[in-house]
Amino acid sequence: MGEIIVNAVLTVKAGLADQVFPILSTVYKAAQNEPGCLRYTLHQSIENEHQFMLYEVYQDEAALETHIASDHYKAYREQIELYLEDRQVTKYVEMTF
């Protein structure tokens, strides 16, 4: 199948954006050192300061599963849940012609 791309869009409850920075920073830094994680970037919306996007590229499905099973990912999911209004995650594979 090849590389797996994950696009996670997080919408934080109004007034809580600043409080999620430490949580996002921790998972961001840890994920960058995972074997099989080729790219892990964090973005904040220009139009909505309460919306963040994690753009992740993994070598393969096994690397993504390793990320999801990691302690830092589990801690991130538990901690961030209190602040979220919405969370949308979509997985992609690159189309080749």
Side-chain angles (χ1 to χ4, degrees):
M1 180 184 301
E3 293 178 358
I4 305 293
I5 291 87
V6 177
N7 186 53
V9 178
L10 311 174
T11 305
V12 177
K13 295 173 186 173
L16 300 180
D18 288 345
Q19 295 180 38
V20 300
F21 291 141
I23 299 167
L24 293 171
S25 175
T26 298
V27 73
Y28 168 84
K29 290 175 184 173
Q32 300 235 347
N33 295 316
E34 292 175 359
C37 180
L38 305 177
R39 185 169 184 194
Y40 197 98
T41 57
L42 174 62
H43 309 266
Q44 186 174 20
S45 171
I46 295 170
E47 289 89 15
N48 178 356
E49 68 178 7
H50 295 96
Q51 191 171 73
F52 299 88
M53 179 184 71
L54 290 163
Y55 179 81
E56 311 164 33
V57 181
Y58 297 92
Q59 181 177 323
D60 52 26
E61 189 73 31
L64 173 57
E65 292 303 319
T66 297
H67 170 68
I68 292 170
S70 68
D71 290 340
H72 60 266
Y73 177 79
K74 290 175 184 176
Y76 147 76
R77 285 298 307 274
E78 183 178 320
Q79 294 167 0
I80 200 84
E81 203 61 40
L82 300 171
Y83 300 94
L84 292 184
E85 183 176 298
D86 189 44
R87 177 179 177 270
Q88 298 292 322
V89 178
T90 308
K91 298 176 191 173
Y92 300 89
V93 294
E94 183 176 350
M95 300 286 297
T96 56
F97 300 93

